[in-house]
Amino acid sequence: MAMQICTLGFPISQILKQKRGARETNRVLAEFDEKRLGSSVDSDTVQGSERSVSLKSKQRGKMQSMESLDECLAGNRDSLQIYASVVELNGENIVFLGKVHEFRQAWQKAFHSISLSADESRRARDEMFRHALSIFVTLVHSGTASFPINIESPIYNHLVAIFGPATALVAKSDGSSRASSLSTTSTVTPWDEPQALSPVTSPTEEFASFPMRNLMKRSQSNLSIGGQSSSDRATSLKEQELEGDGILKEDKDEHDPLEGLPVPGDFNVKVFDAAYQSIRYMVWSETWQRYMVWKQKGNHDSIARTI
């Protein structure tokens, strides 16, 4: 028994001593490296990290709040409209946000009374559908809008499902050649057109997971607008905004293309909410930040004179 213990015990003890010695050697070498290099490297690293954090903090501090954009959209947005149309060339986004804001106000006004009769409620709902349809036709649908907004495919397809039939009737009644271009599937990249609308909770998370719908299917007349000057584009957008106010109002002397068309069950005051959130976040993160810098530099008057 004693021989077996010695045979096994001595080798094991030697192995343990070697491990302890190796650990001590590594510790001494690590201390030496820290003394020689640690102070300078750590100092540069810490200072670099602090500078990076400080820069990011300053950049975040310069970001204008979303609330400031909302106040502008709810009030006088003419200056923002001029900047977006002339400088950013995306004035349709500001027009859309403004029109949706007005649509929500009109809805609240139309249904302010809880004692509406069934007939009054039906007429109010029909009027609100026409109001919303004018927004969709002039600002959203790529086959009818001169400058359609660019939103995610699921959101766009959901709106097409609600307003598509009415849009086709309006385009047909106008004798427009665009009536044949009202397909909801892109012939260029049909795989970019998801058919189901997933619930949207956050512009920064959900919207980024879907591709923007392809706009190459615009009509030839719409594509030619790309050659317009910035002032012409701003003028066209202003005319488009005014045109949308009454494009679908019922005319007693003419045939109503929407007569007899039932209002879709999915239509409600929140019909544009997903598109609004998407465009609003896009405007806030890009256009609004640059606009505030542009405004502080006092460039408004010089550009306003060109329109």
Side-chain angles (χ1 to χ4, degrees):
M1 177 65 70
M3 291 296 295
Q4 292 176 348
I5 292 175
C6 291
T7 302
L8 297 175
F10 285 118
I12 292 174
S13 64
Q14 292 297 320
I15 292 173
L16 294 176
K17 288 181 180 180
Q18 290 178 357
K19 288 186 175 180
R20 283 196 297 269
R23 285 197 296 269
E24 183 65 20
T25 301
N26 290 334
R27 184 185 65 80
V28 172
L29 291 175
E31 289 179 355
F32 175 76
D33 289 338
E34 287 179 1
K35 290 178 180 179
R36 189 180 67 169
L37 303 174
S39 59
S40 61
V41 172
D42 290 345
S43 177
D44 292 342
T45 302
V46 170
Q47 289 177 3
S49 300
E50 289 178 350
R51 285 194 297 268
S52 177
V53 172
S54 176
L55 178 60
K56 291 180 180 178
S57 299
K58 289 180 179 179
Q59 290 176 343
R60 290 194 188 100
K62 293 180 181 179
M63 291 286 286
Q64 302 294 326
S65 67
M66 185 78 79
E67 290 73 15
S68 63
L69 172 61
D70 293 337
E71 291 177 2
C72 177
L73 294 174
N76 187 349
R77 56 183 181 272
D78 290 347
S79 178
L80 176 60
Q81 180 69 67
I82 292 173
Y83 171 81
S85 301
V86 177
V87 180
E88 300 278 328
L89 300 182
N90 58 7
E92 62 273 9
N93 291 337
I94 310 303
V95 175
F96 174 77
L97 294 177
K99 287 299 180 183
V100 172
H101 183 75
E102 293 171 2
F103 167 74
R104 292 171 175 172
Q105 290 182 324
W107 184 287
Q108 297 298 330
K109 183 178 180 180
F111 292 93
H112 70 283
S113 177
I114 59 176
S115 60
L116 290 177
S117 65
D119 189 55
E120 291 173 336
S121 178
R122 181 192 61 78
R123 285 199 300 269
R125 184 174 170 80
D126 182 72
E127 180 181 350
M128 286 299 97
F129 180 75
R130 291 171 181 269
H131 189 157
L133 182 58
S134 68
I135 298 175
F136 179 79
V137 169
T138 57
L139 293 167
V140 180
H141 200 286
S142 59
T144 58
S146 297
F147 301 99
I149 59 173
N150 194 12
I151 53 179
E152 293 76 10
S153 295
I155 300 175
Y156 178 77
N157 291 335
H158 180 67
L159 292 174
V160 168
I162 295 176
F163 298 108
T167 301
L169 290 175
V170 171
K172 184 178 180 181
S173 68
D174 290 342
S176 173
S177 59
R178 294 177 298 183
S180 61
S181 64
L182 299 182
S183 171
T184 61
T185 302
S186 171
T187 57
V188 180
T189 56
W191 53 83
D192 283 346
E193 304 286 350
Q195 296 301 316
L197 177 66
S198 302
V200 177
T201 57
S202 172
T204 58
E205 298 175 0
E206 296 296 334
F207 291 152
S209 64
F210 293 108
M212 288 293 189
R213 61 187 176 85
N214 192 285
L215 296 183
M216 293 300 293
K217 59 183 177 178
R218 295 183 188 180
S219 64
Q220 188 63 32
S221 61
N222 290 344
L223 289 174
S224 65
I225 297 174
Q228 288 183 330
S229 66
S230 57
S231 59
D232 290 339
R233 180 184 175 91
T235 303
S236 298
L237 280 170
K238 188 62 178 178
E239 292 174 351
Q240 177 175 313
E241 182 179 4
L242 295 174
E243 180 181 299
D245 290 334
I247 188 173
L248 298 176
K249 289 183 179 179
E250 188 174 352
D251 193 332
K252 299 297 183 180
D253 298 329
E254 296 182 5
H255 171 68
D256 180 12
L258 301 181
E259 183 178 1
L261 181 70
V263 176
D266 291 340
F267 173 71
N268 54 52
V269 68
K270 298 181 179 181
V271 66
F272 289 118
D273 279 11
Y276 185 90
Q277 290 176 25
S278 177
I279 297 299
R280 174 174 172 257
Y281 179 79
M282 186 188 308
V283 170
W284 169 75
S285 61
E286 299 177 8
T287 305
W288 181 247
Q289 306 305 323
R290 292 190 289 267
Y291 164 73
M292 293 303 292
V293 175
W294 172 83
K295 186 177 180 181
Q296 290 171 1
K297 292 181 179 179
N299 296 322
H300 174 268
D301 293 338
S302 61
I303 293 183
R305 286 194 295 267
T306 66
I307 301 179

